[in-house]
Amino acid sequence: MMNVATEAYIPVTLNAEWERIELLANGLLLLRQGKEMPEEWVDKLKRLQQQVEKGRGTHGLWAVAGLAGLDPLLYDILACAVVIEMQPRLTWLFQQLQPGVSQPYPTLALLQELLAFDSSEMPVLYTALSETSLLRAAHLIRMESTDPLQPIIPGPDLAARLFGLPLAEKAPPSSIRVKQRASWQ
């Protein structure tokens, strides 16, 4: 019989990330209605923040997916971008928060509100989303520009990496992928 220490087992998920984003989004909806965030929500947000920070460590799912050692802001941006694909039910919440935007993915304007950036901190956010930033250079996110209403779309393989699925096979540049088995006969 195998002896396994069950208390040492930590499930590798990003549930705390998704719950935190959902709570931030719901809190933002309340703030836009002129209401305060309930105290129990604030307490829960603090607990989730601790879980998120722990999950971003060397044994968390971000690390398992090959994304260890990023700056906390970069993790926040990635989580906000990919949450729509990881938790599709949050699509409606993001669309409520950014009416008139055709895509459910977060925009720079929404990120500023969700992450509570004031105007003096915006250069940091713009730098993290710039064309030469790590997130865009590594194809972890896609944006056509840093326009405030431009969607921040997760890279094509990000959700697959986080779900532990095989990455999509890609054809070399300037070619078309043919899904047939090649043979000499």
mmCIF file of all heavy atoms in Angstrom, residues 122-165:
data_model
loop_
_atom_site.group_PDB
_atom_site.id
_atom_site.type_symbol
_atom_site.label_atom_id
_atom_site.label_comp_id
_atom_site.label_asym_id
_atom_site.label_seq_id
_atom_site.Cartn_x
_atom_site.Cartn_y
_atom_site.Cartn_z
ATOM 1 N N MET A 122 -0.514 54.853 -14.918
ATOM 2 C CA MET A 122 -0.819 54.383 -16.269
ATOM 3 C C MET A 122 0.410 54.111 -17.136
ATOM 4 O O MET A 122 0.386 53.160 -17.932
ATOM 5 C CB MET A 122 -1.779 55.340 -16.972
ATOM 6 C CG MET A 122 -3.203 55.241 -16.443
ATOM 7 S SD MET A 122 -3.858 53.550 -16.433
ATOM 8 C CE MET A 122 -3.962 53.225 -18.188
ATOM 9 N N PRO A 123 1.500 54.862 -17.012
ATOM 10 C CA PRO A 123 2.675 54.508 -17.832
ATOM 11 C C PRO A 123 3.154 53.072 -17.595
ATOM 12 O O PRO A 123 3.615 52.406 -18.521
ATOM 13 C CB PRO A 123 3.732 55.531 -17.397
ATOM 14 C CG PRO A 123 2.930 56.717 -16.965
ATOM 15 C CD PRO A 123 1.706 56.144 -16.307
ATOM 16 N N VAL A 124 3.014 52.576 -16.374
ATOM 17 C CA VAL A 124 3.410 51.196 -16.069
ATOM 18 C C VAL A 124 2.531 50.217 -16.844
ATOM 19 O O VAL A 124 3.015 49.238 -17.426
ATOM 20 C CB VAL A 124 3.319 50.929 -14.546
ATOM 21 C CG1 VAL A 124 3.609 49.472 -14.221
ATOM 22 C CG2 VAL A 124 4.249 51.848 -13.785
ATOM 23 N N LEU A 125 1.230 50.483 -16.878
ATOM 24 C CA LEU A 125 0.303 49.615 -17.601
ATOM 25 C C LEU A 125 0.556 49.692 -19.110
ATOM 26 O O LEU A 125 0.580 48.664 -19.792
ATOM 27 C CB LEU A 125 -1.142 49.990 -17.267
ATOM 28 C CG LEU A 125 -2.233 49.032 -17.724
ATOM 29 C CD1 LEU A 125 -1.972 47.607 -17.291
ATOM 30 C CD2 LEU A 125 -3.585 49.502 -17.201
ATOM 31 N N TYR A 126 0.768 50.901 -19.631
ATOM 32 C CA TYR A 126 1.066 51.042 -21.059
ATOM 33 C C TYR A 126 2.362 50.312 -21.425
ATOM 34 O O TYR A 126 2.445 49.668 -22.473
ATOM 35 C CB TYR A 126 1.180 52.523 -21.455
ATOM 36 C CG TYR A 126 -0.133 53.150 -21.839
ATOM 37 C CD1 TYR A 126 -0.770 54.054 -20.990
ATOM 38 C CD2 TYR A 126 -0.742 52.846 -23.052
ATOM 39 C CE1 TYR A 126 -1.982 54.634 -21.339
ATOM 40 C CE2 TYR A 126 -1.949 53.421 -23.413
ATOM 41 C CZ TYR A 126 -2.564 54.311 -22.553
ATOM 42 O OH TYR A 126 -3.769 54.881 -22.912
ATOM 43 N N THR A 127 3.363 50.376 -20.558
ATOM 44 C CA THR A 127 4.628 49.691 -20.815
ATOM 45 C C THR A 127 4.424 48.176 -20.852
ATOM 46 O O THR A 127 4.964 47.486 -21.721
ATOM 47 C CB THR A 127 5.673 50.064 -19.736
ATOM 48 O OG1 THR A 127 5.870 51.485 -19.771
ATOM 49 C CG2 THR A 127 6.991 49.363 -19.966
ATOM 50 N N ALA A 128 3.624 47.670 -19.922
ATOM 51 C CA ALA A 128 3.357 46.228 -19.872
ATOM 52 C C ALA A 128 2.603 45.737 -21.102
ATOM 53 O O ALA A 128 2.671 44.551 -21.434
ATOM 54 C CB ALA A 128 2.572 45.885 -18.608
ATOM 55 N N LEU A 129 1.894 46.637 -21.786
ATOM 56 C CA LEU A 129 1.111 46.269 -22.969
ATOM 57 C C LEU A 129 1.741 46.752 -24.277
ATOM 58 O O LEU A 129 1.174 46.535 -25.346
ATOM 59 C CB LEU A 129 -0.304 46.848 -22.848
ATOM 60 C CG LEU A 129 -1.146 46.293 -21.706
ATOM 61 C CD1 LEU A 129 -2.442 47.088 -21.574
ATOM 62 C CD2 LEU A 129 -1.431 44.824 -21.890
ATOM 63 N N SER A 130 2.900 47.395 -24.194
ATOM 64 C CA SER A 130 3.521 47.948 -25.394
ATOM 65 C C SER A 130 3.896 46.843 -26.378
ATOM 66 O O SER A 130 3.983 45.666 -26.027
ATOM 67 C CB SER A 130 4.765 48.764 -25.024
ATOM 68 O OG SER A 130 5.802 47.889 -24.618
ATOM 69 N N GLU A 131 4.136 47.243 -27.599
ATOM 70 C CA GLU A 131 4.453 46.293 -28.662
ATOM 71 C C GLU A 131 5.713 45.486 -28.361
ATOM 72 O O GLU A 131 5.837 44.336 -28.770
ATOM 73 C CB GLU A 131 4.630 47.047 -29.985
ATOM 74 C CG GLU A 131 4.320 46.222 -31.185
ATOM 75 C CD GLU A 131 4.260 47.062 -32.450
ATOM 76 O OE1 GLU A 131 3.631 48.128 -32.426
ATOM 77 O OE2 GLU A 131 4.853 46.624 -33.440
ATOM 78 N N THR A 132 6.638 46.072 -27.618
ATOM 79 C CA THR A 132 7.896 45.391 -27.302
ATOM 80 C C THR A 132 7.862 44.711 -25.927
ATOM 81 O O THR A 132 8.873 44.166 -25.494
ATOM 82 C CB THR A 132 9.065 46.391 -27.338
ATOM 83 O OG1 THR A 132 8.789 47.449 -26.415
ATOM 84 C CG2 THR A 132 9.268 46.951 -28.729
ATOM 85 N N SER A 133 6.722 44.716 -25.274
ATOM 86 C CA SER A 133 6.624 44.114 -23.941
ATOM 87 C C SER A 133 6.800 42.600 -24.012
ATOM 88 O O SER A 133 6.590 41.980 -25.063
ATOM 89 C CB SER A 133 5.282 44.449 -23.305
ATOM 90 O OG SER A 133 4.248 43.729 -23.943
ATOM 91 N N LEU A 134 7.139 42.013 -22.897
ATOM 92 C CA LEU A 134 7.305 40.562 -22.811
ATOM 93 C C LEU A 134 6.037 39.828 -23.227
ATOM 94 O O LEU A 134 6.089 38.842 -23.968
ATOM 95 C CB LEU A 134 7.694 40.169 -21.380
ATOM 96 C CG LEU A 134 7.729 38.676 -21.091
ATOM 97 C CD1 LEU A 134 8.838 38.001 -21.884
ATOM 98 C CD2 LEU A 134 7.906 38.430 -19.609
ATOM 99 N N LEU A 135 4.877 40.312 -22.779
ATOM 100 C CA LEU A 135 3.614 39.624 -23.076
ATOM 101 C C LEU A 135 3.329 39.571 -24.575
ATOM 102 O O LEU A 135 2.870 38.556 -25.085
ATOM 103 C CB LEU A 135 2.453 40.309 -22.356
ATOM 104 C CG LEU A 135 2.483 40.263 -20.830
ATOM 105 C CD1 LEU A 135 1.265 40.970 -20.252
ATOM 106 C CD2 LEU A 135 2.570 38.842 -20.318
ATOM 107 N N ARG A 136 3.597 40.655 -25.267
ATOM 108 C CA ARG A 136 3.335 40.670 -26.714
ATOM 109 C C ARG A 136 4.456 40.008 -27.497
ATOM 110 O O ARG A 136 4.207 39.299 -28.470
ATOM 111 C CB ARG A 136 3.075 42.099 -27.185
ATOM 112 C CG ARG A 136 1.711 42.567 -26.669
ATOM 113 C CD ARG A 136 1.354 43.960 -27.016
ATOM 114 N NE ARG A 136 1.088 44.176 -28.417
ATOM 115 C CZ ARG A 136 0.840 45.369 -28.929
ATOM 116 N NH1 ARG A 136 0.804 46.439 -28.158
ATOM 117 N NH2 ARG A 136 0.612 45.513 -30.213
ATOM 118 N N ALA A 137 5.703 40.199 -27.068
ATOM 119 C CA ALA A 137 6.842 39.592 -27.780
ATOM 120 C C ALA A 137 6.775 38.065 -27.702
ATOM 121 O O ALA A 137 7.133 37.377 -28.658
ATOM 122 C CB ALA A 137 8.156 40.109 -27.208
ATOM 123 N N ALA A 138 6.308 37.534 -26.583
ATOM 124 C CA ALA A 138 6.195 36.081 -26.407
ATOM 125 C C ALA A 138 4.854 35.546 -26.910
ATOM 126 O O ALA A 138 4.552 34.373 -26.727
ATOM 127 C CB ALA A 138 6.384 35.724 -24.931
ATOM 128 N N HIS A 139 4.044 36.390 -27.512
ATOM 129 C CA HIS A 139 2.731 36.023 -28.055
ATOM 130 C C HIS A 139 1.782 35.477 -26.986
ATOM 131 O O HIS A 139 0.945 34.622 -27.274
ATOM 132 C CB HIS A 139 2.864 35.034 -29.225
ATOM 133 C CG HIS A 139 3.770 35.525 -30.303
ATOM 134 N ND1 HIS A 139 3.398 36.533 -31.164
ATOM 135 C CD2 HIS A 139 5.032 35.179 -30.636
ATOM 136 C CE1 HIS A 139 4.396 36.781 -31.994
ATOM 137 N NE2 HIS A 139 5.399 35.982 -31.693
ATOM 138 N N LEU A 140 1.927 35.986 -25.766
ATOM 139 C CA LEU A 140 1.018 35.596 -24.690
ATOM 140 C C LEU A 140 -0.280 36.387 -24.758
ATOM 141 O O LEU A 140 -1.313 35.921 -24.294
ATOM 142 C CB LEU A 140 1.699 35.788 -23.331
ATOM 143 C CG LEU A 140 2.915 34.890 -23.104
ATOM 144 C CD1 LEU A 140 3.649 35.297 -21.842
ATOM 145 C CD2 LEU A 140 2.491 33.430 -23.052
ATOM 146 N N ILE A 141 -0.204 37.585 -25.306
ATOM 147 C CA ILE A 141 -1.405 38.385 -25.583
ATOM 148 C C ILE A 141 -1.271 38.977 -26.978
ATOM 149 O O ILE A 141 -0.169 39.082 -27.516
ATOM 150 C CB ILE A 141 -1.622 39.533 -24.550
ATOM 151 C CG1 ILE A 141 -0.457 40.523 -24.579
ATOM 152 C CG2 ILE A 141 -1.898 38.986 -23.174
ATOM 153 C CD1 ILE A 141 -0.723 41.819 -23.832
ATOM 154 N N ARG A 142 -2.435 39.354 -27.536
ATOM 155 C CA ARG A 142 -2.467 40.025 -28.845
ATOM 156 C C ARG A 142 -3.264 41.303 -28.709
ATOM 157 O O ARG A 142 -4.310 41.326 -28.056
ATOM 158 C CB ARG A 142 -3.125 39.140 -29.893
ATOM 159 C CG ARG A 142 -2.370 37.876 -30.194
ATOM 160 C CD ARG A 142 -3.092 37.041 -31.200
ATOM 161 N NE ARG A 142 -4.454 36.779 -30.688
ATOM 162 C CZ ARG A 142 -5.361 36.069 -31.300
ATOM 163 N NH1 ARG A 142 -5.114 35.553 -32.457
ATOM 164 N NH2 ARG A 142 -6.539 35.857 -30.767
ATOM 165 N N MET A 143 -2.758 42.344 -29.329
ATOM 166 C CA MET A 143 -3.453 43.639 -29.395
ATOM 167 C C MET A 143 -3.040 44.290 -30.707
ATOM 168 O O MET A 143 -1.906 44.149 -31.130
ATOM 169 C CB MET A 143 -3.024 44.558 -28.250
ATOM 170 C CG MET A 143 -3.376 44.092 -26.875
ATOM 171 S SD MET A 143 -2.708 45.215 -25.616
ATOM 172 C CE MET A 143 -3.724 46.665 -25.864
ATOM 173 N N GLU A 144 -3.966 45.011 -31.296
ATOM 174 C CA GLU A 144 -3.608 45.733 -32.507
ATOM 175 C C GLU A 144 -2.977 47.071 -32.182
ATOM 176 O O GLU A 144 -2.199 47.593 -32.958
ATOM 177 C CB GLU A 144 -4.832 45.891 -33.399
ATOM 178 C CG GLU A 144 -5.270 44.554 -33.972
ATOM 179 C CD GLU A 144 -6.318 44.696 -35.038
ATOM 180 O OE1 GLU A 144 -6.431 45.773 -35.646
ATOM 181 O OE2 GLU A 144 -7.026 43.709 -35.270
ATOM 182 N N SER A 145 -3.327 47.633 -31.034
ATOM 183 C CA SER A 145 -2.749 48.894 -30.581
ATOM 184 C C SER A 145 -3.003 49.016 -29.083
ATOM 185 O O SER A 145 -3.636 48.146 -28.490
ATOM 186 C CB SER A 145 -3.392 50.077 -31.322
ATOM 187 O OG SER A 145 -4.733 50.255 -30.881
ATOM 188 N N THR A 146 -2.530 50.088 -28.485
ATOM 189 C CA THR A 146 -2.818 50.314 -27.067
ATOM 190 C C THR A 146 -3.943 51.338 -26.912
ATOM 191 O O THR A 146 -4.000 52.064 -25.925
ATOM 192 C CB THR A 146 -1.557 50.762 -26.306
ATOM 193 O OG1 THR A 146 -0.964 51.858 -26.992
ATOM 194 C CG2 THR A 146 -0.566 49.629 -26.145
ATOM 195 N N ASP A 147 -4.833 51.358 -27.878
ATOM 196 C CA ASP A 147 -6.028 52.180 -27.794
ATOM 197 C C ASP A 147 -6.812 51.760 -26.548
ATOM 198 O O ASP A 147 -6.886 50.565 -26.246
ATOM 199 C CB ASP A 147 -6.856 51.948 -29.068
ATOM 200 C CG ASP A 147 -8.147 52.718 -29.070
ATOM 201 O OD1 ASP A 147 -9.120 52.221 -28.463
ATOM 202 O OD2 ASP A 147 -8.195 53.797 -29.675
ATOM 203 N N PRO A 148 -7.411 52.673 -25.806
ATOM 204 C CA PRO A 148 -8.113 52.321 -24.568
ATOM 205 C C PRO A 148 -9.236 51.295 -24.719
ATOM 206 O O PRO A 148 -9.547 50.581 -23.772
ATOM 207 C CB PRO A 148 -8.682 53.652 -24.078
ATOM 208 C CG PRO A 148 -7.828 54.686 -24.697
ATOM 209 C CD PRO A 148 -7.377 54.123 -26.009
ATOM 210 N N LEU A 149 -9.834 51.189 -25.908
ATOM 211 C CA LEU A 149 -10.917 50.230 -26.105
ATOM 212 C C LEU A 149 -10.511 49.038 -26.977
ATOM 213 O O LEU A 149 -11.355 48.277 -27.431
ATOM 214 C CB LEU A 149 -12.149 50.932 -26.691
ATOM 215 C CG LEU A 149 -12.790 51.961 -25.763
ATOM 216 C CD1 LEU A 149 -13.979 52.636 -26.440
ATOM 217 C CD2 LEU A 149 -13.209 51.343 -24.441
ATOM 218 N N GLN A 150 -9.217 48.871 -27.174
ATOM 219 C CA GLN A 150 -8.694 47.738 -27.944
ATOM 220 C C GLN A 150 -8.695 46.497 -27.063
ATOM 221 O O GLN A 150 -8.140 46.506 -25.970
ATOM 222 C CB GLN A 150 -7.271 48.066 -28.400
ATOM 223 C CG GLN A 150 -6.594 46.971 -29.169
ATOM 224 C CD GLN A 150 -7.239 46.724 -30.508
ATOM 225 O OE1 GLN A 150 -7.550 47.650 -31.222
ATOM 226 N NE2 GLN A 150 -7.447 45.477 -30.843
ATOM 227 N N PRO A 151 -9.323 45.397 -27.494
ATOM 228 C CA PRO A 151 -9.336 44.181 -26.666
ATOM 229 C C PRO A 151 -7.939 43.593 -26.471
ATOM 230 O O PRO A 151 -7.118 43.613 -27.384
ATOM 231 C CB PRO A 151 -10.212 43.207 -27.443
ATOM 232 C CG PRO A 151 -10.731 43.927 -28.614
ATOM 233 C CD PRO A 151 -10.050 45.238 -28.735
ATOM 234 N N ILE A 152 -7.709 43.078 -25.294
ATOM 235 C CA ILE A 152 -6.472 42.379 -24.966
ATOM 236 C C ILE A 152 -6.808 40.889 -25.036
ATOM 237 O O ILE A 152 -7.476 40.348 -24.163
ATOM 238 C CB ILE A 152 -5.959 42.778 -23.573
ATOM 239 C CG1 ILE A 152 -5.727 44.287 -23.527
ATOM 240 C CG2 ILE A 152 -4.691 42.007 -23.221
ATOM 241 C CD1 ILE A 152 -5.576 44.849 -22.137
ATOM 242 N N ILE A 153 -6.378 40.260 -26.121
ATOM 243 C CA ILE A 153 -6.759 38.880 -26.428
ATOM 244 C C ILE A 153 -5.617 37.950 -26.030
ATOM 245 O O ILE A 153 -4.455 38.226 -26.336
ATOM 246 C CB ILE A 153 -7.088 38.744 -27.933
ATOM 247 C CG1 ILE A 153 -8.234 39.691 -28.278
ATOM 248 C CG2 ILE A 153 -7.417 37.306 -28.300
ATOM 249 C CD1 ILE A 153 -8.500 39.837 -29.758
ATOM 250 N N PRO A 154 -5.937 36.841 -25.356
ATOM 251 C CA PRO A 154 -4.858 35.909 -25.000
ATOM 252 C C PRO A 154 -4.245 35.290 -26.249
ATOM 253 O O PRO A 154 -4.909 35.126 -27.268
ATOM 254 C CB PRO A 154 -5.562 34.856 -24.150
ATOM 255 C CG PRO A 154 -6.995 34.944 -24.504
ATOM 256 C CD PRO A 154 -7.249 36.357 -24.944
ATOM 257 N N GLY A 155 -2.972 34.960 -26.156
ATOM 258 C CA GLY A 155 -2.279 34.302 -27.251
ATOM 259 C C GLY A 155 -2.961 32.997 -27.615
ATOM 260 O O GLY A 155 -3.683 32.414 -26.804
ATOM 261 N N PRO A 156 -2.735 32.495 -28.821
ATOM 262 C CA PRO A 156 -3.471 31.331 -29.311
ATOM 263 C C PRO A 156 -3.279 30.060 -28.492
ATOM 264 O O PRO A 156 -4.149 29.204 -28.465
ATOM 265 C CB PRO A 156 -2.944 31.154 -30.739
ATOM 266 C CG PRO A 156 -1.684 31.923 -30.810
ATOM 267 C CD PRO A 156 -1.778 33.007 -29.781
ATOM 268 N N ASP A 157 -2.171 29.917 -27.782
ATOM 269 C CA ASP A 157 -1.925 28.685 -27.041
ATOM 270 C C ASP A 157 -2.045 28.843 -25.527
ATOM 271 O O ASP A 157 -1.859 27.877 -24.793
ATOM 272 C CB ASP A 157 -0.527 28.140 -27.364
ATOM 273 C CG ASP A 157 -0.394 27.719 -28.805
ATOM 274 O OD1 ASP A 157 -1.405 27.295 -29.393
ATOM 275 O OD2 ASP A 157 0.722 27.810 -29.355
ATOM 276 N N LEU A 158 -2.335 30.041 -25.045
ATOM 277 C CA LEU A 158 -2.319 30.277 -23.603
ATOM 278 C C LEU A 158 -3.333 29.417 -22.859
ATOM 279 O O LEU A 158 -2.986 28.739 -21.886
ATOM 280 C CB LEU A 158 -2.546 31.764 -23.298
ATOM 281 C CG LEU A 158 -2.445 32.158 -21.831
ATOM 282 C CD1 LEU A 158 -1.100 31.763 -21.234
ATOM 283 C CD2 LEU A 158 -2.682 33.655 -21.667
ATOM 284 N N ALA A 159 -4.569 29.391 -23.305
ATOM 285 C CA ALA A 159 -5.595 28.589 -22.622
ATOM 286 C C ALA A 159 -5.241 27.101 -22.691
ATOM 287 O O ALA A 159 -5.390 26.382 -21.699
ATOM 288 C CB ALA A 159 -6.974 28.844 -23.216
ATOM 289 N N ALA A 160 -4.749 26.634 -23.826
ATOM 290 C CA ALA A 160 -4.365 25.226 -23.958
ATOM 291 C C ALA A 160 -3.252 24.878 -22.976
ATOM 292 O O ALA A 160 -3.286 23.823 -22.331
ATOM 293 C CB ALA A 160 -3.924 24.924 -25.386
ATOM 294 N N ARG A 161 -2.274 25.766 -22.821
ATOM 295 C CA ARG A 161 -1.186 25.525 -21.868
ATOM 296 C C ARG A 161 -1.720 25.438 -20.449
ATOM 297 O O ARG A 161 -1.301 24.589 -19.675
ATOM 298 C CB ARG A 161 -0.141 26.635 -21.969
ATOM 299 C CG ARG A 161 0.690 26.546 -23.230
ATOM 300 C CD ARG A 161 1.478 27.789 -23.496
ATOM 301 N NE ARG A 161 2.617 27.960 -22.598
ATOM 302 C CZ ARG A 161 3.478 28.953 -22.709
ATOM 303 N NH1 ARG A 161 3.329 29.864 -23.651
ATOM 304 N NH2 ARG A 161 4.475 29.058 -21.864
ATOM 305 N N LEU A 162 -2.649 26.320 -20.107
ATOM 306 C CA LEU A 162 -3.190 26.335 -18.747
ATOM 307 C C LEU A 162 -4.118 25.151 -18.493
ATOM 308 O O LEU A 162 -4.204 24.657 -17.371
ATOM 309 C CB LEU A 162 -3.902 27.659 -18.477
ATOM 310 C CG LEU A 162 -2.984 28.885 -18.455
ATOM 311 C CD1 LEU A 162 -3.802 30.158 -18.343
ATOM 312 C CD2 LEU A 162 -1.965 28.794 -17.341
ATOM 313 N N PHE A 163 -4.833 24.690 -19.524
ATOM 314 C CA PHE A 163 -5.695 23.517 -19.394
ATOM 315 C C PHE A 163 -4.888 22.215 -19.464
ATOM 316 O O PHE A 163 -5.413 21.140 -19.210
ATOM 317 C CB PHE A 163 -6.765 23.492 -20.498
ATOM 318 C CG PHE A 163 -7.992 24.301 -20.209
ATOM 319 C CD1 PHE A 163 -8.484 25.175 -21.155
ATOM 320 C CD2 PHE A 163 -8.681 24.163 -19.010
ATOM 321 C CE1 PHE A 163 -9.643 25.913 -20.906
ATOM 322 C CE2 PHE A 163 -9.825 24.892 -18.759
ATOM 323 C CZ PHE A 163 -10.312 25.774 -19.707
ATOM 324 N N GLY A 164 -3.615 22.317 -19.864
ATOM 325 C CA GLY A 164 -2.794 21.121 -20.010
ATOM 326 C C GLY A 164 -3.105 20.348 -21.273
ATOM 327 O O GLY A 164 -2.851 19.147 -21.358
ATOM 328 N N LEU A 165 -3.650 21.018 -22.266
ATOM 329 C CA LEU A 165 -4.000 20.381 -23.536
ATOM 330 C C LEU A 165 -2.820 20.458 -24.498
ATOM 331 O O LEU A 165 -1.965 21.331 -24.376
ATOM 332 C CB LEU A 165 -5.210 21.091 -24.157
ATOM 333 C CG LEU A 165 -6.482 21.093 -23.315
ATOM 334 C CD1 LEU A 165 -7.536 21.963 -23.965
ATOM 335 C CD2 LEU A 165 -6.995 19.677 -23.133
#
